[in-house]
Amino acid sequence: MKTSAAALARPSTASGTRLRRLSVVGLLAPVVALAACSGESPVTADPTAPVGSTSSTTAPADTATTPATPTPSTTSGSAAPVDKMVTKTITATLKDPELGHTITARRLVRNLSWPSGQPVGAKQFEIVGVWVNLKAGSRYSASIDSSMLALVAASPAQSVVPTSEFTKRWGATVLKPAKRSQTTAGWVFFKVDRGTTSSLKLGFNRPAYQVSTTGKKLPAKSFTVVLTK
């Protein structure tokens, strides 16, 4: 399969990462703000919770570059039937009000062609690509990366984390982590069961955090937003 070079992307997170918050934050609870007055307030992350559907939100997306669409092609050397690739431009936004993160899905591509020579995988799985914009909040130095994302399907029910095995094949634009106040954008790819219906959501798995100078805890929390019904 040939895909436009400007088309496609991915990254990772580490448990126990030391985070810091800005010294001046006017809208936080007093217990956190007092700790910040004497300098930076370290925060530790504990990414333990699976992505679910405990909370969801939609909001107007931030202005960002729209990705180029992958060029359709057929799969050679595969025993699986070739389904027509479908591309859809979307605006689906997740917001984490506590950390100030904004995650926006801009484009969804289904039935991306499998590499040749992988008939078993091609029979069992469909490759789905999602172009995502990450905008990290300025409140804490809590970064966001693709390992915190998931594709949640209704039928058959599944929650799938991103895969990195196809990015080099397509020369994909890799979704890099967004550090505090930074914005990044790129593709993430997911392998879902063949026959997965059109009902898809994007999930964000926020780790649990603790402000070490105050003991304040931000529990792990999961958010989802509808991509397609």
Side-chain angles (χ1 to χ4, degrees):
M1 162 182 171
K2 287 188 178 179
T3 307
S4 3
L8 312 165
R10 137 185 171 263
S12 71
T13 187
S15 175
T17 303
R18 300 291 296 178
L19 307 174
R20 298 173 297 172
R21 66 183 296 276
L22 291 178
S23 58
V24 179
V25 180
L27 299 179
L28 297 185
V31 64
V32 180
L34 287 174
C37 289
S38 59
E40 296 176 330
S41 179
V43 182
T44 18
D46 177 22
T48 55
V51 169
S53 56
T54 57
S55 177
S56 64
T57 181
T58 56
D62 55 305
T63 303
T65 302
T66 302
T69 304
T71 303
S73 69
T74 57
T75 304
S76 60
S78 172
V82 177
D83 297 315
K84 182 179 179 181
M85 191 180 79
V86 178
T87 301
K88 186 173 184 179
T89 299
I90 57 177
T91 299
T93 301
L94 287 166
K95 286 183 177 288
D96 183 334
E98 291 177 290
L99 294 182
H101 295 336
T102 301
I103 301 170
T104 304
R106 297 282 184 178
R107 185 159 292 180
L108 176 73
V109 182
R110 296 204 59 169
N111 295 312
L112 281 159
S113 298
W114 270 83
S116 60
Q118 297 189 31
V120 176
K123 283 182 178 180
Q124 294 181 341
F125 301 105
E126 173 196 346
I127 306 170
V128 179
V130 184
W131 178 273
V132 178
N133 289 8
L134 301 179
K135 185 177 182 181
S138 59
R139 190 171 302 172
Y140 299 96
S141 61
S143 60
I144 331 168
D145 65 65
S146 67
S147 68
M148 299 177 182
L149 303 178
L151 189 67
V152 183
S155 179
Q158 56 199 295
S159 180
V160 183
V161 297
T163 177
S164 62
E165 62 184 291
F166 306 112
T167 55
K168 290 183 179 179
R169 167 180 167 79
W170 291 317
T173 299
V174 176
L175 180 62
K176 296 180 179 179
K179 297 180 180 180
R180 184 169 63 194
S181 300
Q182 288 184 342
T183 299
T184 63
W187 287 95
V188 284
F189 298 101
F190 304 89
K191 291 192 298 185
V192 300
D193 294 340
R194 281 220 172 266
T196 295
T197 61
S198 62
S199 180
L200 297 174
K201 296 179 180 180
L202 181 67
F204 169 52
N205 173 34
R206 187 189 78 188
Y209 294 100
Q210 180 172 351
V211 183
S212 61
T213 56
T214 63
K216 179 180 175 63
K217 295 182 179 179
L218 299 176
K221 195 171 184 180
S222 296
F223 303 81
T224 59
V225 66
V226 173
L227 298 177
T228 52
K229 296 182 179 179

